[in-house]
């Protein structure tokens, strides 16, 4: 229920099963029905499909019925890395919104920031807002498994300003934004 929504024909039956079994306490059926119902609602709201199979991190989190965490890094060392709670269907855009709010960034500036996938210590790509974080982690695992070797450098997500327009200095920025942009320039 977290990686992809079921077919339209099967969806009503699955929803009804979860609803009817939420209060069943035999063999944790009710606990699982409640957990899966919540995850299905989130997956269904996205109207998108995952591209990659679940990673070992996701499978472990699912068996424990808990979210998992990723660490976000910044361009400098003045900000500690941030741990962010995610689920299988969490997108890059959702993580960006959460991070921008926690840093008190100017809402007008949110679209100028992005998460960057750093693979093997090299910047690989800017993640689109609709990219599933869990897909990226799954791709990392698949690459390591296929090569049979650990990556040369770290795999991580970096918070970075995507665009730096010439009018940047004329735009009002919070002290946090000034620090982030400064660190990106140097």
């Amino acid at each position: 229920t977290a990686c992809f929504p079921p077919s339209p024909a099967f969806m009503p039956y699955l929803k009804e099963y979860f609803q009817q079994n939420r209060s069943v306490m035999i063999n944790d059926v009710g606990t699982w029905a409640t957990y899966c119902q919540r995850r299905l609602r989130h997956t269904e709201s996205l109207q998108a499909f995952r591209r990659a199979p679940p990673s070992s991190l996701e499978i472990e989190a699912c068996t424990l019925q808990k979210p998992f965490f990723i660490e976000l890094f910044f361009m400098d060392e003045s900000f500690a890395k941030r741990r962010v709670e995610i689920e299988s269907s969490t997108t890059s855009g959702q993580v960006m919104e959460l991070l921008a709010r926690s840093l008190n960034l100017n809402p007008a500036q949110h679209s100028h920031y992005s998460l960057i996938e750093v693979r093997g210590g090299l910047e690989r790509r800017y993640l689109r807002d609709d990219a599933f974080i869990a897909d990226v982690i799954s791709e990392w695992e698949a690459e390591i498994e296929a090569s049979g070797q650990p990556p040369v450098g770290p795999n991580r997500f970096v918070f970075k300003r995507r665009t730096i327009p010439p009018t940047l200095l004329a735009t009002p920025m919070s002290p946090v934004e000034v620090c982030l942009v400064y660190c990106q320039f140097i």
Side-chain angles (χ1 to χ4, degrees):
T1 59
C3 293
F4 58 89
S7 70
F10 184 60
M11 179 74 82
Y13 297 105
L14 188 59
K15 285 180 176 180
E16 184 63 25
Y17 175 83
F18 291 153
Q19 190 61 39
Q20 287 180 359
N21 289 287
R22 287 172 51 125
S23 58
V24 175
M25 290 302 143
I26 301 170
N27 295 330
D28 294 327
V29 171
T31 306
W32 279 103
T34 303
Y35 174 74
C36 290
Q37 186 178 41
R38 182 179 56 78
R39 292 185 60 147
L40 180 61
R41 272 193 218 117
H42 188 253
T43 303
E44 187 180 24
S45 72
L46 295 173
Q47 300 294 317
F49 296 98
R50 296 266 313 270
R51 294 184 334 268
S55 66
S56 59
L57 183 64
E58 282 179 83
I59 293 169
E60 181 182 347
C62 183
T63 58
L64 298 172
Q65 296 184 17
K66 298 200 180 294
F68 56 100
F69 293 87
I70 60 168
E71 290 183 337
L72 301 176
F73 293 83
F74 297 91
M75 294 296 295
D76 69 331
E77 299 301 321
S78 67
F79 294 102
K81 60 188 172 193
R82 301 275 174 121
R83 282 177 47 109
V84 176
E85 180 181 297
I86 68 166
E87 291 187 349
S88 299
S89 54
T90 302
T91 63
S92 174
Q94 291 169 324
V95 171
M96 289 299 302
E97 275 299 311
L98 178 73
L99 191 57
R101 278 196 312 269
S102 75
L103 293 172
N104 294 320
L105 295 181
N106 178 349
Q109 298 294 319
H110 288 193
S111 64
H112 297 293
Y113 289 90
S114 184
L115 286 182
I116 297 176
E117 174 192 0
V118 175
R119 204 182 278 191
L122 300 173
E123 284 188 10
R124 185 76 173 255
R125 63 182 167 153
Y126 286 92
L127 296 178
R128 295 172 32 150
D129 284 348
D130 62 352
F132 291 102
I133 298 295
D135 277 352
V136 177
I137 294 169
S138 183
E139 290 167 8
W140 292 347
E141 279 188 4
E143 187 176 280
I144 291 168
E145 189 175 308
S147 71
Q149 301 175 31
V152 176
N155 291 339
R156 57 176 54 171
F157 298 101
V158 177
F159 181 74
K160 189 174 177 182
R161 189 169 175 100
R162 180 179 28 216
T163 56
I164 301 180
T167 59
L168 177 69
L169 298 177
T171 308
M173 292 189 292
S174 72
V176 171
E177 288 175 286
V178 171
C179 184
L180 289 170
V181 170
Y182 175 77
C183 293
Q184 194 165 328
F185 276 127
I186 58 171

